[in-house]
Amino acid sequence: MHKNNTIGILVMAYGGPDSLEDVPAYLADIRKGRPTPQSIIDEITENYRKIGGKSPLLELTQAQVAAVKRHFDPAQYRFYLGMRHWKPWIEDTVGEMVSDGIRRAVSIVMAPHYSKLSIAKYQEKIASGLTAHRGQIEFAHVESYHDAPGLITALANRVQDGLARWPRAERAGVHVVFSAHSLPERILQMGDPYDAQLRETARLVADQARLSPDRWTWSYQSAGRSSEPWLGPQIQDHLVELSKRGIRNVVSVPVGFVSDHVEILYDIDILAQTVARAHGVRLERPPSLNTDPLFIKAVAGAIQEALQEAGWVREAIDP
């Protein structure tokens, strides 16, 4: 097939520093060049030091792309990877796609829930890349896939994995906390679907895992450092409240994240874990989705749906 007929698939993720030395530049990219207080640089650097001295996100996302790619004919589709706040930057990847002669492409973010403050920002980076490289690529964007059956089943399996860490006779007393990255509260006034999509994912997962309504709750995590209010409750505060209710056994299932990075490895496994222990709570977190075959199939399905809706394929191919 001529390269101009090849459809590009652009997979995107947030990005993370490749080393502790990269942290200041990484934060500068997130803050659009605004100065970062040294105390925050030191704190974030220490967080990354505690999880191994770098973000594992690039390697994990590369593995996810490789897994999704296997569901597609390489003669018809070419896969690309771009990061929002670190190398390989989305704008540079779009430039590569332009150089390769790609005319049509699907974009998907490794984050299943839509927000104007998250997914839309990735799409803005694509637009900037097209402008910078004078490209004419027609993009079909996957907005969200928060209710994809494969995603729900993979997360429900995680719930069961977590519960299985207790003896069968004790599992009925184990509480499940679903969570996702917090965003500023103003998104609710904006009519943003983020909160509603997250809660729908949690409900669907709870239903499939056969959790009664009193056995699970919702919390946010990883709120940003700014003066405006962020969506809550934060998971550390929520764990304290659960302990006051006499709940001593908790499974953490961060449904807003699909791979291990600092918000999981530090914010849950270290920060939330420390709070839990201080309040007599046993906190268990089953593995992240990463390259779980059910999740990968859900991503492939979301891409194929976008291809169909764009009219670029006649019928869905079972991924």
Side-chain angles (χ1 to χ4, degrees):
M1 177 176 287
H2 191 271
K3 67 179 180 180
N4 285 1
N5 292 327
T6 300
I7 296 175
I9 309 294
L10 174 57
V11 179
M12 299 173 288
Y14 194 81
D18 296 324
S19 69
L20 296 182
E21 291 71 31
D22 289 330
V23 171
Y26 170 65
L27 293 174
D29 192 87
I30 292 171
R31 294 167 63 85
K32 299 179 181 175
R34 298 192 308 275
T36 306
Q38 189 61 44
S39 60
I40 292 181
I41 292 175
D42 293 344
E43 181 187 337
I44 301 296
T45 300
E46 181 63 11
N47 294 352
Y48 276 103
R49 187 189 68 76
K50 288 177 178 174
I51 67 165
K54 59 175 289 189
S55 170
L57 189 59
L58 177 58
E59 288 84 356
L60 290 170
T61 310
Q62 287 171 331
Q64 289 173 328
V65 172
V68 174
K69 196 174 172 179
R70 288 194 280 272
H71 291 278
F72 291 84
D73 181 356
Q76 293 181 299
Y77 302 96
R78 182 160 182 180
F79 278 73
Y80 298 85
L81 172 61
M83 296 292 188
R84 181 172 156 196
H85 289 299
W86 202 244
K87 299 172 285 188
W89 277 280
I90 291 167
E91 295 92 332
D92 293 342
T93 301
V94 169
E96 183 187 342
M97 296 172 75
V98 171
S99 296
D100 286 347
I102 298 294
R103 299 291 178 84
R104 299 174 297 173
V106 170
S107 84
I108 187 165
V109 182
M110 289 291 97
H113 306 86
Y114 180 85
S115 172
K116 293 173 187 172
L117 299 188
S118 62
I119 305 303
K121 298 296 183 185
Y122 290 82
Q123 296 171 3
E124 289 170 15
K125 294 275 189 180
I126 291 172
S128 296
L130 288 172
T131 299
H133 297 280
R134 299 179 182 179
Q136 299 291 326
I137 301 173
E138 180 185 354
F139 269 92
H141 301 299
V142 175
E143 300 284 346
S144 70
Y145 46 102
H146 70 285
D147 56 355
L151 174 70
I152 302 304
T153 301
L155 289 169
N157 289 345
R158 292 305 188 272
V159 172
Q160 299 300 345
D161 288 350
L163 295 175
R165 298 184 184 187
W166 279 265
R168 190 174 297 276
E170 298 177 21
R171 290 175 199 169
V174 179
H175 191 84
V176 177
V177 175
F178 298 111
S179 66
H181 203 300
S182 184
L183 288 176
E185 278 184 10
R186 59 187 157 90
I187 68 164
L188 300 179
Q189 283 69 53
M190 290 162 53
D192 194 282
Y194 184 69
D195 182 74
Q197 286 188 3
L198 284 164
R199 291 174 188 273
E200 183 179 6
T201 298
R203 282 194 300 271
L204 291 169
V205 173
D207 287 349
Q208 190 159 329
R210 297 181 180 176
L211 295 176
S212 55
D214 62 328
R215 287 195 57 201
W216 67 274
T217 46
W218 176 260
S219 78
Y220 277 99
Q221 61 170 94
S222 314
R225 295 164 172 80
S226 67
S227 56
E228 65 179 318
W230 286 62
L231 294 169
Q234 289 299 296
I235 192 165
Q236 299 98 298
D237 301 330
H238 188 52
L239 288 168
V240 174
E241 287 303 311
L242 290 175
S243 74
K244 289 177 181 176
R245 286 165 43 185
I247 292 170
R248 293 287 175 264
N249 298 304
V250 175
V251 173
S252 163
V253 182
V255 298
F257 300 91
V258 299
S259 56
D260 287 319
H261 41 109
V262 72
E263 286 84 355
I264 302 297
L265 303 176
Y266 180 79
D267 292 354
I268 298 292
D269 293 355
I270 297 175
L271 190 58
Q273 187 66 259
T274 301
V275 171
R277 285 176 182 153
H279 289 83
V281 174
R282 177 184 169 188
L283 179 65
E284 295 282 347
R285 181 186 66 81
S288 297
L289 295 178
N290 294 324
T291 53
D292 181 299
L294 286 169
F295 168 64
I296 294 301
K297 191 169 182 179
V299 172
I303 292 169
Q304 290 180 350
E305 210 171 285
L307 289 165
Q308 266 190 290
E309 288 176 5
W312 299 340
V313 295
R314 287 199 182 92
E315 58 186 38
I317 308 157
D318 182 5

